[in-house]
Structure formats: structure tokens, C-alpha cells
């Protein structure tokens, strides 16, 4: 498999999942501003939409969109047990969280990654929306569940962790949401997550 990624972007969830299921894969870095890969090729020939992730599962067969890629990976590795079975209410709950993360939480971070400095009133409006969505996650975790669907890690946690972790890049502390802060720390300590973060240069490898 071949993963097209941008360091720290939502494609990190696909890398985490690939690592969790133990699948061999190669990864190619993409500059989404210029639509060029690290090999100098035109990324638009891979994904005409221009953003990451894209996953080539075999020559000429490419998947895009995190929710689709993550579910595909979970389904080809049922032994990893990182997604409920298709057709169950638990799978629908998983899809609910994947869609929330993509359409609401992810979108709420977008103003800070627009490439321009926000005016004060823009910052206030953006923070209000972002804080509301982080609050949604806080309420879901307030019953003490270790993962977003309950007692078991799933692909929804991989995606949710990646997006919540963006708070570090925009200097927003998660301390006001203690359940979320603990959750991010818990997911971030998983070996597969740490390995993915190291691979993208986001944290330093642990000393031997």
C-alpha cells in the first residue's frame, strides 16, 4: 500500500491505523500548496481534489477521504478489532463519530490553517465554534469511558486524536476540558500512535 500524507494533517489517522493493524506500507509526502509530491510528481493525478490522505491499495486503485480509508483498513484486518462489524448499531455509532470529526471538529480548526492572520473578531468567532465542538467531545467522555465508543480503541479514536492534537499547533490548551485532555494523552501514549508521530517528525523517538 502507498499512503500520500502531509505531516500532522488528518492523513496521520491513516498512518496510525496502518500501524495499528501491522500492514506494510510506503508513504509519500505531499505539498498540498503546490500539489507536488516529494518525488516531484503531480499529486492531482493521484487525487484531483488535492488534499490528503490518499491510499493506493493496489496499482491504479486509490481511496480518498479519511472515513472511507479508515473503515477499509479496519475491515481488511478484522483480527485487529478496531471497528465494530458492519451492519451493527455499534458500527453506526463509529460512523457517527467519524462524520462528526470530519464535518464538525475538523472544520472548526480550519480558520487557523487558512494561511492568513485572523482578525480579533474572526478569532473570537472561530474559538466559540471550536470550543463548542471540543465541548461535545468532553460531554461524551464525561462518563469515564477510555475511548470514544467505550472500552475499546477504534479508528474513530485515531481520527479524533489527530484533530484534537491540532490544538497544540494553535496554542489552545485542552486543560479546560479535562476529560478531553486525558483522552488525548491516553491515545497519544499508544505505541502505534507514537510510532506514527515519530515517522512524521512530530515527536522525537524515545531514547534506547
Amino acid at each position: 500500500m502507498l499512503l500520500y500524507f502531509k505531516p500532522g494533517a488528518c492523513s496521520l489517522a491513516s498512518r496510525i491505523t496502518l500501524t495499528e493493524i501491522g500492514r506494510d506500507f510506503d508513504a509519500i509526502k505531499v505539498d498540498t500548496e503546490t500539489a507536488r509530491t516529494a518525488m516531484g510528481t503531480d499529486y492531482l493525478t493521484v487525487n484531483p481534489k488535492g488534499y490528503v490522505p490518499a491510499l493506493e491499495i493496489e496499482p491504479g486503485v486509490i481511496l480518498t477521504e479519511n472515513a472511507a480509508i479508515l473503515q477499509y483498513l479496519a475491515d481488511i484486518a478484522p483480527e485487529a478489532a478496531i471497528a465494530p462489524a458492519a451492519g451493527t448499531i455499534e458500527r453506526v455509532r463509529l460512523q457517527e463519530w467519524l462524520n462528526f470529526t470530519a464535518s464538525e471538529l475538523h472544520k472548526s480548526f480550519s480558520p487557523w490553517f487558512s494561511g492568513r492572520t485572523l482578525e480579533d473578531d474572526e478569532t473570537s468567532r472561530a474559538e466559540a465554534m471550536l470550543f463548542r465542538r471540543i465541548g461535545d467531545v468532553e460531554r461524551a467522555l464525561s462518563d469515564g469511558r477510555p475511548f470514544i465508543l467505550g472500552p475499546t480503541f477504534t479508528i474513530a479514536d485515531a481520527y479524533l486524536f489527530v484533530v484534537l492534537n491540532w490544538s497544540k499547533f494553535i496554542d489552545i490548551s485542552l486543560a479546560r476540558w479535562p476529560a478531553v485532555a486525558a483522552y488525548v494523552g491516553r491515545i497519544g501514549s499508544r505505541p502505534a500512535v507514537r510510532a506514527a508521530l515519530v515517522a512524521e517528525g512530530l515527536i522525537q523517538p524515545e531514547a534506547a
Side-chain angles (χ1 to χ4, degrees):
M1 293 187 186
L2 182 59
L3 175 66
Y4 292 85
F5 78 101
K6 181 177 180 178
C10 63
S11 50
L12 176 59
S14 295
R15 185 188 288 273
I16 289 170
T17 301
L18 282 160
T19 307
E20 286 278 357
I21 67 175
R23 289 298 172 108
D24 291 333
F25 68 98
D26 293 317
I28 296 180
K29 184 177 177 181
V30 177
D31 183 337
T32 54
E33 296 299 319
T34 63
R36 309 300 292 182
T37 72
M39 299 173 65
T41 57
D42 182 2
Y43 181 59
L44 297 180
T45 64
V46 176
N47 181 6
K49 290 173 284 191
Y51 52 77
V52 294
L55 181 68
E56 186 173 58
I57 60 176
E58 58 184 70
V61 181
I62 296 169
L63 299 178
T64 64
E65 306 301 332
N66 247 331
I69 291 172
L70 297 179
Q71 289 182 86
Y72 170 78
L73 293 174
D75 287 341
I76 65 171
E79 70 283 357
I82 55 173
T88 63
I89 188 62
E90 291 81 9
R91 182 59 168 255
V92 176
R93 293 299 185 198
L94 173 83
Q95 293 166 339
E96 190 174 30
W97 276 105
L98 289 173
N99 288 333
F100 167 83
T101 304
S103 65
E104 297 298 329
L105 187 61
H106 187 155
K107 179 177 65 179
S108 296
F109 277 94
S110 297
W112 285 273
F113 301 130
S114 64
R116 64 181 184 83
T117 301
L118 299 179
E119 301 291 341
D120 289 345
D121 61 329
E122 292 177 310
T123 299
S124 295
R125 288 195 300 271
E127 286 182 344
M129 178 58 73
L130 177 59
F131 293 177
R132 179 180 177 183
R133 294 307 173 217
I134 298 176
D136 292 333
V137 183
E138 178 76 9
R139 279 189 295 277
L141 295 169
S142 63
D143 61 2
R145 66 182 70 179
F147 303 106
I148 200 60
L149 292 183
T152 305
F153 174 88
T154 68
I155 54 175
D157 296 298
Y159 193 7
L160 189 56
F161 164 80
V162 168
V163 177
L164 288 169
N165 199 49
W166 292 343
S167 59
K168 294 180 180 179
F169 302 110
I170 61 173
D171 295 322
I172 288 180
S173 171
L174 295 177
R176 72 187 76 188
W177 303 281
V180 170
Y183 169 81
V184 170
R186 190 159 52 248
I187 304 301
S189 69
R190 293 178 67 84
V193 175
R194 292 192 61 82
L197 292 169
V198 169
E200 297 202 359
L202 300 173
I203 62 172
Q204 294 297 313
E206 294 180 352

